[in-house]
Amino acid sequence: MTYDAVVIGSGPNGLVAANHLVDRGWSVLVLEAQPELGGAVRSAEDVHPGFVHDTFSAFYPLAAASPALRELRLDQHGLRWRHAPAVLGHPLRGEGWALLHRDRAVTARLMESSYAGDGQAWLDLCSEWDRIGTQLVEGLLTPFPPIRPTLAGLARLRSVGGLGFVKTLLTPAIELGTSRFGGTRPRVLLAGNAGHSDIPIHAPGSGLMGMMLTMLGQTVGYPVPEGGAGELSAALARRLTASGGEIRCGAEVTRVLTSRGRADGVALADGERVASRRAVIADVAAPILFGRLLDPTDVPTRVARGMRGFTLDPGTVKVDWALDGPVPWEQPPEHAPGTVHIADSTTQLTESLAQVAARAIPAEPFLLAGQMTATDPTRSPAGTESMWAYTHVPQETDRDAGDAGIRGAWDRDDCERFADRMQAQIERHAPGFASRVLSRRVLGPRELEARDANLIGGAVGGGTSQLHQQLVFRPVPGLGRAETGVPGLYLGSASAHPGGGVHGACGRNAARAALLHDRARRMVPGRRG
Ligand SMILES: Cc1cc2nc3c(=O)[nH]c(=O)nc-3n(C[C@H](O)[C@H](O)[C@H](O)COP(=O)(O)OP(=O)(O)OC[C@H]3O[C@@H](n4cnc5c(N)ncnc54)[C@H](O)[C@@H]3O)c2cc1C
């Protein structure tokens, strides 16, 4: 059978691309290697009976802010968002919590109570964001160069201080925190949010990341799909199939087929071939597309050369726990946060990230954690907690900065011993945590990649998000858009601009590029595109 478009991979970007194309009347088939759809947006009751755990991603501020997802109106396809009492929290030993509440006045009051002046400084930052945040986020989520959002942003720039605000965005996260706030609370929130990406928090770019995630938390929250992350993917799939799109799971693509230099279909692992008339959209990591799925002779020389310098982001170890009660925080927070950052101080946080960058397994890993039942009570029986934490580890390990001799082979032994270290980090803030554990599951880099081939070595972002591989440098210098240099083939995964996170922008950019080139081809007979 021939389709207008074949989409390889059913992650959020693949499903968003497919939805955009069926909306324009295209026939679309999504081919997914795994037995289940959703990529890194899945959940299951596979850790402990009665407990739903998100297998990978969990909180979706970017989805809530992204036009690519918002315009699909997934609420009409069964998606319901839930919010925790507080968006984000960071326990500070002996000093209470840094808390981001959805009500900015509450956040400001909590900050003011620990350092006079920080409450007003927080409200000032929020009001700057109110004036320019939407243009900034839309600029980041549209194809590069983002002409329309840039013009809209420039028009508002003066109202937030002109070049001074640009400087703020370029300021590293640590300096941003110390330049605007006197107390620890806002500083750790900004630094912890910057730590969601692999940009060193003393480097430019980290401040923008920290500010964007923090301000999104303050404006749209960190919502989760009711019932589990998989409900977001299920809503995308329902919307797609209701409009005639098709999805096949257990269908691994092993080759992108070309004819006279143009992509015109794919071959599956079992030998079947599926033809595409107008486009192939690859929701696959760039090293897989250019290194495995394309015949080397089809990869443009410039792209092949650029891919030799492609940098992955670090690996990941994720631990899921089923707890028979709430987390026994030493000092219970005033409002229960959904997302929790765990590091004793910005110094410890910085050290942990620096150790990973220096190919060492962190001694006191900076944890991103989630209290899912506190956020969405459907996740586990009343009074219990469905909890996870993950942290980053080097792609290639030289040494263990701790004392457990973890080698970085990430076999079961490494994974369990490192999970013990992660659990000990929590235990320091929540004595008795271990005694609440009903079940624990550890997913190391290998297990993550086995469940989603895009997560190469446990890299969660489709490639580093450091500045040298962003914008026009993503995935290789000179691309920055979904076009691959192979007519008819578009890169729609997190390896494309604007990168990792569940926002669907890479998928929408790829679908738009396919539509644009298709229109051009039809207008100019004989044109390749
Ligand atoms: C542990 C973890 C936690 C995260 N937490 C968050 C979070 O809280 N919030 C957030 O916004 N983001 C988070 N992320 C990042 C986010 O999940 C990803 O950036 C996002 O899922 C990328 O979407 P994608 O569609 O590009 O790729 P993916 O979601 O990875 O989907 C790619 C799909 O393609 C399929 N595929 C690959 N190769 C082939 C092939 N040859 N044939 C057929 N199918 C193929 C894969 O099986 C997979 O289903 C997290 C990621 C991980 C791993």
Side-chain angles (χ1 to χ4, degrees):
M1 174 133 182
T2 303
Y3 293 83
D4 287 327
V6 171
V7 177
I8 311 169
S10 69
N13 283 312
L15 292 175
V16 165
N19 270 286
H20 277 277
L21 293 175
V22 294
D23 287 354
R24 302 296 178 282
W26 287 30
S27 61
V28 179
L29 173 66
V30 179
L31 294 165
E32 169 53 54
Q34 294 289 328
E36 281 167 56
L37 61 85
V41 185
R42 268 149 54 194
S43 46
E45 200 179 311
D46 54 358
V47 174
H48 193 82
F51 286 67
V52 173
H53 278 88
D54 298 334
T55 317
F56 314 92
S57 61
F59 289 97
Y60 300 110
L62 294 169
S66 167
L69 277 162
R70 273 204 325 259
E71 68 195 26
L72 298 181
R73 298 301 315 266
L74 295 177
D75 52 322
Q76 294 173 1
H77 298 271
L79 179 66
R80 193 159 166 229
W81 292 115
R82 303 291 297 238
H83 290 267
V87 177
L88 166 68
H90 191 133
L92 299 164
R93 302 191 75 195
E95 292 175 54
W97 283 70
L99 279 179
L100 181 67
H101 193 277
R102 279 194 81 203
D103 180 343
R104 65 180 65 175
V106 177
T107 312
R109 178 178 57 72
L110 292 167
M111 288 178 180
E112 186 67 23
S113 68
S114 81
Y115 194 93
D118 275 359
Q120 189 54 48
W122 185 260
L123 295 174
D124 291 345
L125 187 61
C126 293
S127 84
E128 284 169 28
W129 184 260
D130 289 342
R131 274 174 269 157
I132 204 163
T134 305
Q135 287 70 30
L136 205 59
V137 171
E138 290 187 0
L140 288 171
L141 296 182
T142 46
F144 197 81
I147 295 165
R148 215 167 342 134
T150 303
L151 292 175
L154 282 175
R156 287 161 177 262
L157 194 57
R158 194 182 297 173
S159 73
V160 287
L163 282 179
F165 187 73
V166 176
K167 184 175 175 222
T168 300
L169 295 178
L170 293 174
T171 304
I174 291 288
E175 283 79 9
L176 182 65
T178 50
S179 67
R180 301 204 57 144
F181 301 99
T184 308
R185 292 181 181 185
R187 291 179 182 180
V188 292
L189 291 179
L190 285 165
N193 273 329
H196 283 233
S197 85
D198 69 322
I199 307 172
I201 57 176
H202 282 292
S206 63
L208 172 58
M209 178 60 71
M211 169 127 96
M212 185 175 74
L213 283 181
T214 307
M215 287 296 120
L216 285 179
Q218 190 63 94
T219 49
V220 298
Y222 282 12
V224 307
E226 183 175 272
E231 294 304 315
L232 172 55
S233 301
L236 280 163
R238 276 193 294 272
R239 188 186 185 284
L240 177 67
T241 50
S243 304
E246 295 174 39
I247 305 172
R248 274 170 58 189
C249 290
E252 185 195 352
V253 171
T254 49
R255 181 64 84 205
V256 173
L257 304 171
T258 58
S259 151
R260 282 180 290 136
R262 183 180 170 81
D264 64 354
V266 298
L268 304 187
D270 64 4
E272 184 187 345
R273 290 171 169 237
V274 182
S276 65
R277 266 185 295 270
R278 296 161 123 179
V280 174
I281 298 205
D283 177 19
V284 299
I288 300 179
L289 177 63
F290 297 117
R292 292 218 298 263
L293 298 190
L294 275 169
D295 186 294
T297 59
D298 285 331
V299 181
T301 313
R302 171 172 70 95
V303 175
R305 203 182 310 118
M307 282 306 293
R308 286 199 280 275
F310 182 85
T311 312
L312 282 170
D313 40 322
T316 304
V317 176
K318 177 171 186 277
V319 187
D320 295 299
W321 294 273
L323 304 179
D324 68 4
V327 179
W329 299 112
E330 190 169 30
Q331 299 170 284
E334 210 171 306
H335 309 273
T339 302
V340 181
H341 292 163
I342 297 177
D344 284 1
S345 60
T346 48
T347 308
Q348 192 185 83
L349 194 158
T350 309
E351 267 170 22
S352 163
L353 300 177
Q355 283 166 351
V356 176
R359 298 162 61 122
I361 293 170
E364 291 171 320
F366 164 53
L367 303 186
L368 297 167
Q371 304 193 112
M372 301 317 295
T373 313
T375 313
D376 167 15
T378 69
R379 302 295 180 96
S380 67
T384 67
E385 187 59 79
S386 169
M387 166 101 176
W388 59 263
Y390 77 75
T391 192
H392 294 303
V393 293
Q395 282 283 349
E396 282 168 42
T397 301
D398 285 344
R399 67 188 179 91
D400 183 359
D403 56 7
I406 297 169
R407 295 155 298 140
W410 301 118
D411 52 13
R412 212 52 346 241
D413 183 52
D414 268 3
C415 285
E416 292 297 335
R417 281 194 292 153
F418 191 62
D420 290 344
R421 187 177 293 175
M422 292 169 65
Q423 192 166 307
Q425 282 283 85
I426 299 178
E427 188 82 30
R428 294 209 335 246
H429 295 272
F433 178 87
S435 67
R436 297 239 159 129
V437 177
L438 295 168
S439 296
R440 174 173 107 168
R441 173 182 66 181
V442 188
L443 298 175
R446 291 184 194 180
E447 288 80 14
L448 291 169
E449 189 174 340
R451 286 162 171 79
D452 177 348
N454 281 21
L455 309 176
I456 303 169
V460 304
T464 181
S465 48
Q466 295 186 57
L467 280 182
H468 68 270
Q469 203 167 276
Q470 286 293 21
L471 309 171
V472 288
F473 305 110
R474 193 168 187 89
V476 299
L479 282 189
R481 300 177 75 89
E483 288 84 348
T484 57
V486 179
L489 176 64
Y490 303 91
L491 180 65
S493 72
S495 289
H497 170 73
V502 176
H503 43 64
C506 315
R508 183 173 75 156
N509 292 348
R512 283 182 164 180
L515 288 161
L516 198 72
H517 285 278
D518 184 64
R519 218 173 298 135
R521 267 178 89 214
R522 278 157 203 282
M523 283 163 62
V524 186
R527 176 180 166 155
R528 303 161 86 222

XYZ file of all heavy atoms in Angstrom, residues 8-14 31-34 38-42 55-62 251-254 283-284 288 293 316 318 390 448 451-455 460-461 492-494 500-502, ligand 1:
399
model
N 8.216 7.452 10.752
C 8.966 6.403 11.468
C 9.046 6.807 12.935
O 9.713 7.783 13.278
C 10.396 6.255 10.913
C 10.391 6.158 9.391
C 11.084 5.046 11.540
C 11.797 6.284 8.781
N 8.341 6.080 13.795
C 8.401 6.365 15.228
C 7.160 7.094 15.725
O 6.676 8.038 15.095
N 6.640 6.613 16.868
C 5.390 7.183 17.400
C 5.616 7.926 18.706
O 4.769 7.916 19.588
C 4.376 6.062 17.636
O 4.816 5.266 18.718
N 6.807 8.559 18.840
C 6.997 9.453 19.988
C 6.101 10.677 19.808
O 5.404 10.797 18.787
N 6.116 11.597 20.773
C 5.246 12.772 20.647
C 5.485 13.534 19.350
O 4.542 14.018 18.721
C 5.606 13.616 21.874
C 6.893 13.066 22.393
C 6.926 11.635 22.012
N 6.752 13.618 18.926
C 7.014 14.352 17.681
C 6.438 13.628 16.466
O 5.874 14.256 15.567
C 8.521 14.571 17.503
C 9.029 15.686 18.393
O 8.437 16.761 18.438
N 10.107 15.424 19.125
N 6.569 12.305 16.437
C 6.012 11.553 15.315
C 4.501 11.682 15.262
O 3.909 11.903 14.195
N 4.822 4.067 11.756
C 5.413 2.750 12.026
C 6.238 2.825 13.302
O 7.160 3.651 13.390
C 6.294 2.328 10.847
C 5.529 2.076 9.545
C 6.478 2.024 8.358
C 4.711 0.791 9.646
N 5.925 1.999 14.264
C 6.568 2.050 15.583
C 7.245 0.700 15.866
O 6.607 -0.344 15.774
C 5.527 2.369 16.665
C 5.995 2.195 18.094
C 7.276 2.955 18.416
O 7.319 4.168 18.183
O 8.250 2.316 18.887
N 8.531 0.754 16.216
C 9.286 -0.483 16.458
C 8.808 -1.228 17.708
O 8.767 -2.460 17.741
C 10.769 -0.154 16.589
N 8.429 -0.473 18.732
C 8.063 -1.095 20.015
C 6.659 -1.700 19.948
O 5.855 -1.308 19.100
C 8.087 -0.037 21.125
C 9.460 0.539 21.424
C 10.380 -0.451 22.115
O 9.931 -1.307 22.882
N 11.664 -0.348 21.839
N 4.070 5.658 21.584
C 4.279 6.752 22.553
C 5.720 7.163 22.771
O 5.963 8.185 23.397
N 6.681 6.364 22.309
C 8.087 6.735 22.522
C 8.368 6.914 24.006
O 8.019 6.048 24.822
N 8.967 8.044 24.363
C 9.325 8.287 25.772
C 8.177 8.927 26.540
O 8.392 9.581 27.561
C 10.590 9.132 25.844
N 6.949 8.741 26.046
C 5.759 9.236 26.754
C 4.821 8.043 26.951
O 3.852 7.842 26.221
C 5.082 10.376 25.956
C 3.916 10.962 26.744
C 6.093 11.477 25.647
N 5.173 7.207 27.908
C 4.420 5.980 28.155
C 4.307 5.731 29.643
O 5.121 6.201 30.421
C 5.158 4.784 27.519
C 4.693 4.490 26.124
C 5.773 3.909 25.250
N 6.437 2.725 25.766
C 7.580 2.274 25.226
N 8.138 2.894 24.212
N 8.159 1.205 25.708
N 7.055 5.430 32.396
C 8.306 4.714 32.099
C 9.462 5.692 31.890
O 10.598 5.404 32.258
C 8.118 3.852 30.828
O 6.848 3.217 30.894
C 9.208 2.808 30.699
N 9.188 6.861 31.306
C 10.253 7.833 31.009
C 9.828 9.226 31.520
O 9.993 9.521 32.679
C 10.523 7.898 29.495
C 10.647 6.566 28.811
C 9.547 5.943 28.226
C 11.882 5.934 28.725
C 9.675 4.730 27.578
C 12.016 4.715 28.070
C 10.901 4.111 27.506
N 9.290 10.054 30.615
C 8.954 11.431 30.983
C 7.687 11.477 31.830
O 6.878 10.535 31.815
C 8.768 12.282 29.728
O 7.716 11.771 28.941
N 7.502 12.600 32.561
C 6.389 12.647 33.514
C 5.682 13.996 33.580
O 4.468 14.048 33.730
C 6.907 12.286 34.904
N 6.444 15.100 33.515
C 5.843 16.435 33.698
C 5.936 17.213 32.394
O 6.970 17.188 31.722
C 6.573 17.194 34.821
C 6.281 16.626 36.179
C 7.153 15.733 36.775
C 5.116 16.963 36.853
C 6.879 15.189 38.024
C 4.837 16.424 38.108
C 5.715 15.534 38.695
N 4.881 17.963 32.069
C 4.790 18.508 30.719
C 4.530 20.012 30.633
O 3.591 20.442 29.978
C 3.733 17.710 29.947
C 4.110 16.244 29.867
C 3.399 15.281 30.574
C 5.220 15.853 29.141
C 3.781 13.947 30.525
C 5.616 14.524 29.094
C 4.895 13.581 29.793
O 5.289 12.263 29.743
N 5.426 20.848 31.218
C 5.262 22.294 31.043
C 5.403 22.707 29.586
O 4.714 23.609 29.115
C 6.399 22.889 31.895
C 7.395 21.788 32.058
C 6.602 20.516 32.047
N 6.320 22.051 28.870
C 6.540 22.435 27.471
C 5.315 22.088 26.629
O 4.932 22.832 25.724
C 7.790 21.740 26.910
C 9.103 22.175 27.568
C 10.248 21.256 27.168
C 9.430 23.621 27.188
N 6.652 -2.634 14.363
C 7.058 -2.490 12.959
C 8.332 -1.660 12.900
O 8.287 -0.433 12.777
C 5.935 -1.835 12.160
N 9.466 -2.342 13.009
C 10.746 -1.612 13.017
C 11.191 -1.294 11.591
O 11.281 -2.194 10.743
C 11.833 -2.454 13.712
C 13.120 -1.691 13.857
C 14.327 -2.560 14.192
O 14.128 -3.775 14.458
O 15.442 -2.037 14.158
N 11.476 -0.042 11.343
C 11.993 0.363 10.028
C 13.502 0.140 10.022
O 14.201 0.549 10.948
C 11.652 1.847 9.751
C 12.369 2.349 8.505
C 10.146 2.025 9.621
N 13.987 -0.523 8.972
C 15.433 -0.783 8.902
C 16.097 -0.014 7.763
O 17.319 0.066 7.701
C 15.709 -2.290 8.703
O 14.891 -2.769 7.630
C 15.398 -3.077 9.966
N 10.940 10.272 13.031
C 10.959 10.630 14.452
C 12.003 9.742 15.117
O 11.722 9.023 16.068
C 9.561 10.428 15.061
C 9.532 10.716 16.555
O 10.453 11.391 17.043
O 8.601 10.239 17.230
N 13.195 9.748 14.539
C 14.262 8.906 15.092
C 15.485 9.786 15.357
O 15.654 10.832 14.731
C 14.643 7.735 14.147
C 13.457 6.829 13.901
C 15.188 8.226 12.828
N 20.712 7.475 14.284
C 20.035 6.294 13.724
C 19.646 6.581 12.275
O 19.869 5.762 11.381
C 18.765 5.939 14.535
C 19.131 5.642 15.992
C 18.033 4.762 13.913
C 17.932 5.306 16.872
N 19.632 4.031 9.009
C 18.444 3.848 8.158
C 18.691 4.266 6.710
O 18.071 3.732 5.793
C 17.242 4.623 8.727
C 16.770 4.197 10.119
C 15.442 4.859 10.457
C 16.629 2.686 10.220
N 21.463 8.162 31.385
C 20.488 8.385 32.469
C 20.277 7.081 33.238
O 20.256 6.005 32.636
C 19.131 8.821 31.858
O 19.359 9.979 31.058
C 18.089 9.141 32.920
N 17.270 5.785 35.853
C 15.972 6.169 36.431
C 15.514 5.073 37.390
O 15.604 3.881 37.067
C 14.942 6.346 35.315
C 13.535 6.674 35.813
C 12.623 7.047 34.656
C 11.258 7.510 35.141
N 10.343 6.421 35.423
N 15.358 10.424 38.547
C 16.434 10.069 37.612
C 17.572 11.051 37.744
O 17.427 12.145 38.300
C 15.938 9.922 36.171
C 15.666 11.179 35.366
C 16.713 11.948 34.844
C 14.372 11.569 35.065
C 16.458 13.067 34.069
C 14.106 12.693 34.294
C 15.159 13.440 33.805
O 14.903 14.550 33.054
N 16.773 1.682 29.121
C 16.035 2.791 28.490
C 16.106 2.658 26.972
O 15.095 2.760 26.271
C 16.616 4.142 28.951
C 16.374 4.484 30.429
C 17.199 5.697 30.847
C 14.892 4.751 30.695
N 13.918 0.047 25.441
C 12.490 0.398 25.388
C 12.202 1.511 24.395
O 11.068 1.807 24.096
C 11.998 0.816 26.794
C 11.835 -0.351 27.748
C 11.800 0.154 29.199
N 11.447 -0.900 30.134
C 12.288 -1.837 30.574
N 13.531 -1.858 30.135
N 11.871 -2.766 31.428
N 13.240 2.197 23.921
C 13.076 3.279 22.942
C 14.451 3.523 22.321
O 15.337 4.096 22.965
C 12.555 4.552 23.650
C 12.433 5.747 22.706
O 12.955 5.685 21.577
O 11.814 6.747 23.121
N 14.624 3.086 21.064
C 15.949 3.128 20.430
C 16.510 4.542 20.336
O 17.726 4.731 20.205
C 15.863 2.513 19.036
N 15.642 5.572 20.393
C 16.148 6.949 20.314
C 16.982 7.330 21.531
O 17.750 8.283 21.475
C 14.974 7.948 20.218
C 14.411 8.021 18.818
O 14.600 7.117 18.028
N 13.706 9.100 18.517
N 16.807 6.617 22.637
C 17.504 6.982 23.880
C 18.889 6.319 23.890
O 19.196 5.468 24.733
C 16.675 6.558 25.097
C 15.205 7.022 25.088
C 14.455 6.474 26.296
C 15.126 8.553 25.060
N 18.542 11.395 26.912
C 17.100 11.673 26.890
C 16.716 12.800 25.932
O 15.552 13.019 25.654
C 16.550 12.027 28.304
C 16.868 10.940 29.296
C 17.067 13.370 28.782
N 17.721 13.536 25.404
C 17.396 14.760 24.673
C 17.643 14.720 23.170
O 17.602 15.761 22.524
N 12.173 14.692 12.183
C 11.142 15.275 13.051
C 11.302 14.894 14.506
O 10.363 15.049 15.287
N 12.469 14.408 14.886
C 12.650 13.976 16.284
C 13.333 15.064 17.100
O 13.692 16.123 16.584
C 13.524 12.722 16.328
O 14.860 13.083 16.029
N 13.561 14.756 18.378
C 14.230 15.710 19.279
C 15.658 16.020 18.833
O 16.252 16.980 19.328
C 14.229 15.153 20.703
N 15.127 18.413 22.724
C 14.402 17.513 23.622
C 13.256 18.161 24.376
O 13.144 19.389 24.447
N 12.398 17.303 24.923
C 11.230 17.774 25.669
C 9.970 17.442 24.894
O 10.004 17.274 23.664
N 8.887 17.360 25.634
C 7.612 16.979 25.012
C 6.853 18.251 24.654
O 6.106 18.793 25.460
C 6.824 16.045 25.950
C 5.460 15.719 25.358
C 7.626 14.777 26.189
C 13.690 9.226 31.538
C 13.202 10.415 30.754
C 12.554 11.449 31.410
C 12.107 12.569 30.695
N 11.375 13.533 31.349
C 10.778 14.505 30.620
C 9.793 15.321 31.220
O 9.420 15.134 32.391
N 9.232 16.309 30.459
C 9.581 16.495 29.136
O 9.046 17.414 28.484
N 10.485 15.676 28.539
C 11.070 14.682 29.231
N 11.915 13.798 28.617
C 12.294 14.030 27.209
C 11.185 13.648 26.235
O 10.550 12.466 26.645
C 11.758 13.465 24.832
O 12.513 14.618 24.475
C 10.636 13.259 23.829
O 9.929 12.068 24.109
C 11.201 13.201 22.431
O 10.163 12.862 21.558
P 10.456 12.197 20.146
O 9.138 12.001 19.503
O 11.481 13.006 19.437
O 11.158 10.794 20.452
P 10.741 9.578 21.357
O 9.746 9.972 22.362
O 12.015 8.989 21.854
O 10.044 8.561 20.346
C 10.753 7.971 19.289
C 10.012 6.727 18.846
O 10.609 6.229 17.632
C 10.647 4.828 17.701
N 11.682 4.355 16.780
C 13.006 4.590 16.839
N 13.627 3.970 15.822
C 12.674 3.357 15.093
C 12.693 2.557 13.915
N 13.834 2.270 13.284
N 11.517 2.069 13.437
C 10.340 2.360 14.059
N 10.281 3.097 15.195
C 11.426 3.591 15.691
C 10.968 4.546 19.154
O 10.618 3.223 19.516
C 10.091 5.584 19.854
O 8.800 5.080 20.088
C 12.355 12.659 29.301
C 12.990 11.609 28.634
C 13.394 10.488 29.347
C 14.033 9.349 28.604
